[in-house]
Amino acid sequence: MLKHKQGTSLQDPQAHALSHESWNRRTFLRMLGLSGAGSILLGSTPVTALASSQLATLLSAMEGERILVLIRLKGGNDGINTIIPVFDYSTYKSLRPGIAIPNNQIINLNPSFGIQNRMGALEKMWKDGDMKVIHNVGYPEQNLSHFRSSDIWATTSDAKVLESSGWLGRWLEDVNPDYLSKPPKMPPAIQIGGAGNLAFTNTKNDNMAVVVNDPEELARIAQSGRLYDPLDVPDCYYGEQLTYLRTLTNTTFTYAQGIETAYKAGKNTVEYPANLGAQLALVARLIKGGLGTRLYMVTLDGFDNHADQNNNHPALLENIAQSVSLFYQDLQTGGWADKVLAMTISEFGRRPEQNASQGTDHGAAAPLMLFGPGLNGNGFIGKNPNLKDLDEDGNLKFSTDFRQIYATVLENWLCIGSAEVDAVMGRRFDRLPTLGLQCSPATSTYNLQTRRLAMKVSTGQREVRVQYDLPESMAVQIRIVGITGQVLQEQNLGQRMSGEQQSNLRLKENILPGIYIVQILAGNRIGSEKAFLH
């Protein structure tokens, strides 16, 4: 007898509703992260910009100007109605007699797999060698909760390990370890819709996404690059704190100005559909307008189809197919198509067997689609899905770990050094050479010059204690930095031996009670942490 986890099907309506309520509440709370904040609206589309000046420098310096676009299919996409296993159509049909796509509505991509005819806009991309599919993507011990599985995809943690930092947040922290005292200047990544994902959270639990939410405000902000005067504040500690908040907010508005400038400079040359199309139209316009951003995430919601799936899912797939096809046509007119790689992600697939409501419940493994000329040909990667050998929940077994795909894209598309990729991912994951991605010979692999130093800060009355671990003997300096970036106190601690260290610092009289940044500088390593000093 198959075991179904609570909240993964409509058979558990209360648990399922609570799961969604928790998911949405946690997502809302994440949008309130302080370290960077704001969503801006271009037209009616919300935009969130991710901030890190060094990553911007890194990605903009890469010759070839490669761009990665993540297409998030929120809710758990039904993989076998997306990439249909025609090689075992009889089993497929028997598992879902009411929602299987009829044979006469399938476009065969090869003798074994096809897409439903409402995805026909992708057929030319497949024939042109601009599309690949990876079968059975997932991870060990698949979690069937939307919220938890989304976190696993964002943090790259194991299923039973609670990790609070995201893979991109860790990368940003590594390439910009002193970001707390050097506010970002350019948005190296932009997320459209679906705010609150952990992918951009660092190890200090700071959300490195920047948010602003008002459409009319954007026009005003674009003219001056700011909304608040950071100098018109009281001459006291409260004024310093207010200056910090206004400076942080104005940094967001500076992003808004740059995005608005690129938006006006770029032009769409095709007519996009709504939903995902509107988002990709904006991405294409920003790319063609010269924004310089290298990482994008767009979101299409509505894939949690527990009932009446065929009244909704085919339209979503049609929206993906038309939007992606037009996106690359649009990019081609500006000479950008071969510089952009797009791929879909979703927290899980759906159960192969339909439920009693003509829908599908939460599943496990699912196909992942990639698009773009940079793939160097079409193809299917990985083992075929086996509909006759399901797991104990009745779900497809995974054969390709999604973290292998992340690592391959980081190293072979964005050309980030292998050791740095392994550090961001938490350990080494085998790369997938069959993806066909290659760094161009002119593109140099980036290696970190300044590295993050892990540290822990504790405070006492007029004293700071910092614990850290040195990999080798180094000269060490400790700093107290104001929240507007000025160095208020520093002390050279001399040469310290390798291993665990603790350094104490008595605070000067000018350090009033409040929030500050404590830094340790050791060789080419920097540790930064916010602390309340008193």
Side-chain angles (χ1 to χ4, degrees):
M1 182 176 180
L2 298 178
K3 297 187 298 183
H4 300 306
K5 300 177 182 178
Q6 257 198 330
T8 65
S9 73
L10 293 183
Q11 295 173 4
D12 311 306
Q14 186 175 6
H16 187 260
L18 287 172
S19 175
H20 277 267
E21 182 182 348
S22 172
W23 188 28
N24 293 332
R25 182 170 61 249
R26 293 282 295 276
T27 297
F28 171 75
L29 291 174
R30 281 188 194 152
M31 292 177 68
L32 304 180
L34 177 62
S35 183
S39 53
I40 61 175
L41 288 170
L42 293 179
S44 60
T45 305
V47 178
T48 302
L50 179 71
S52 164
S53 57
Q54 289 193 19
L55 184 61
T57 302
L58 154 66
L59 293 174
S60 63
M62 291 179 178
E63 295 188 29
E65 299 172 318
R66 288 180 168 183
I67 292 168
L68 173 65
V69 179
L70 301 176
I71 303 173
R72 184 183 176 200
L73 310 182
K74 187 178 177 182
N77 180 42
D78 180 16
I80 62 174
N81 268 22
T82 303
I83 303 298
I84 303 166
V86 295
F87 74 93
D88 194 8
Y89 189 83
S90 60
T91 304
Y92 163 74
K93 177 71 174 177
S94 68
L95 287 169
R96 40 181 66 192
I99 64 170
I101 306 302
N103 251 321
N104 63 359
Q105 295 178 21
I106 297 175
I107 299 170
N108 285 347
L109 299 181
N110 73 2
S112 298
F113 294 96
I115 54 177
Q116 50 184 284
N117 55 11
R118 293 188 69 171
M119 297 178 70
L122 291 179
E123 185 178 14
K124 185 177 186 303
M125 290 193 71
W126 178 267
K127 290 179 177 179
D128 289 346
D130 297 341
M131 175 179 173
K132 282 183 177 171
V133 176
I134 306 175
H135 293 308
N136 306 319
V137 178
Y139 54 86
E141 301 179 281
Q142 173 75 48
N143 190 290
L144 302 184
S145 157
H146 290 291
F147 176 64
R148 177 68 188 129
S149 196
S150 294
D151 279 358
I152 290 168
W153 275 75
T155 65
T156 68
S157 73
D158 290 336
K160 294 184 178 179
V161 175
L162 294 178
E163 171 61 63
S164 61
S165 64
W167 63 300
L168 292 176
R170 293 192 296 270
W171 169 243
L172 293 174
E173 190 173 28
D174 281 345
V175 299
N176 195 10
D178 56 346
Y179 81 95
L180 285 172
S181 59
K182 291 185 178 179
K185 297 174 182 175
M186 290 291 293
I190 291 178
Q191 180 179 326
I192 303 180
N197 192 284
L198 271 180
F200 305 135
T201 302
N202 69 10
T203 62
K204 304 288 194 307
N205 206 32
D206 292 318
N207 184 348
M208 298 181 77
V210 175
V211 190
V212 179
N213 246 338
D214 195 300
E216 290 78 20
E217 208 169 48
L218 179 60
R220 299 195 303 269
I221 295 166
Q223 296 176 15
S224 64
R226 70 181 192 180
L227 185 63
Y228 301 111
D229 185 350
L231 301 179
D232 183 19
V233 297
D235 185 17
C236 61
Y237 176 70
Y238 164 77
E240 183 184 0
Q241 305 292 305
L242 186 58
T243 293
Y244 167 66
L245 293 175
R246 288 186 172 184
T247 300
L248 187 65
T249 304
N250 287 340
T251 299
T252 296
F253 301 149
T254 300
Y255 290 153
Q257 184 179 24
I259 292 172
E260 178 76 355
T261 299
Y263 179 75
K264 289 179 177 178
K267 301 295 179 185
N268 295 126
T269 56
V270 299
E271 187 83 23
Y272 285 87
N275 299 325
L276 184 63
Q279 297 178 54
L280 288 178
L282 176 55
V283 172
R285 191 162 173 172
L286 294 176
I287 291 172
K288 295 166 76 175
L291 180 64
T293 293
R294 297 291 171 258
L295 302 173
Y296 292 87
M297 181 186 289
V298 293
T299 303
L300 183 62
D301 203 348
F303 289 89
D304 193 24
N305 292 297
H306 288 278
D308 300 320
Q309 177 169 304
N310 280 356
N311 290 334
N312 182 52
H313 192 243
L316 292 172
L317 296 181
E318 181 176 36
N319 189 246
I320 294 170
Q322 292 180 351
S323 301
V324 170
S325 175
L326 289 167
F327 178 61
Y328 277 94
Q329 291 177 42
D330 198 2
L331 292 175
Q332 189 64 50
T333 61
W336 282 95
D338 62 343
K339 302 176 180 68
V340 179
L341 176 71
M343 72 177 189
T344 62
I345 58 173
S346 193
E347 61 262 40
F348 43 62
R350 312 299 292 189
R351 191 158 295 146
E353 185 176 9
Q354 71 176 62
N355 61 29
S357 302
Q358 299 295 303
T360 52
D361 295 327
H362 299 183
L368 183 151
M369 298 178 287
L370 298 102
F371 307 100
L375 293 166
N376 296 305
N378 65 29
F380 291 97
I381 298 168
K383 298 178 181 177
N384 289 353
N386 190 339
L387 299 177
K388 298 184 178 74
D389 181 25
L390 305 176
D391 68 18
E392 62 179 1
D393 289 316
N395 293 324
L396 289 170
K397 296 178 179 178
F398 93 98
S399 57
T400 298
D401 195 310
F402 76 94
R403 293 167 291 191
Q404 294 179 261
I405 303 169
Y406 283 4
T408 303
V409 169
L410 288 173
E411 183 170 342
N412 295 343
W413 181 251
L414 295 179
C415 299
I416 297 171
S418 181
E420 280 72 34
V421 171
D422 293 345
V424 167
M425 301 300 295
R427 65 178 186 269
R428 182 164 183 83
F429 291 93
D430 290 340
R431 312 309 194 239
L432 301 173
T434 49
L435 277 185
L437 302 175
Q438 299 175 349
C439 289
S440 74
T443 303
S444 58
T445 299
Y446 179 82
N447 292 291
L448 297 176
Q449 301 300 314
T450 303
R451 297 179 179 273
R452 179 172 58 89
L453 178 69
M455 56 182 279
K456 182 178 180 181
V457 175
S458 58
T459 63
Q461 188 68 29
R462 309 302 299 162
E463 185 179 48
V464 177
R465 296 179 295 275
V466 186
Q467 294 175 306
Y468 51 97
D469 196 345
L470 296 180
E472 57 187 86
S473 178
M474 294 178 173
V476 177
Q477 184 183 65
I478 186 170
R479 284 180 178 174
I480 306 298
V481 181
I483 51 180
T484 52
Q486 73 276 31
V487 177
L488 302 176
Q489 183 176 347
E490 59 185 337
Q491 181 176 323
N492 291 320
L493 303 176
Q495 195 77 13
R496 294 295 180 97
M497 302 297 292
S498 62
E500 295 182 1
Q501 303 286 334
Q502 176 172 310
S503 298
N504 299 345
L505 179 68
R506 292 293 300 173
L507 298 177
K508 291 182 177 180
E509 292 183 1
N510 66 323
I511 308 293
L512 301 177
I515 297 174
Y516 296 87
I517 300 161
V518 180
Q519 288 188 333
I520 289 288
L521 288 74
N524 67 337
R525 296 176 182 267
I526 298 177
S528 295
E529 189 167 313
K530 288 180 292 187
F532 182 80
L533 306 184
H534 55 92

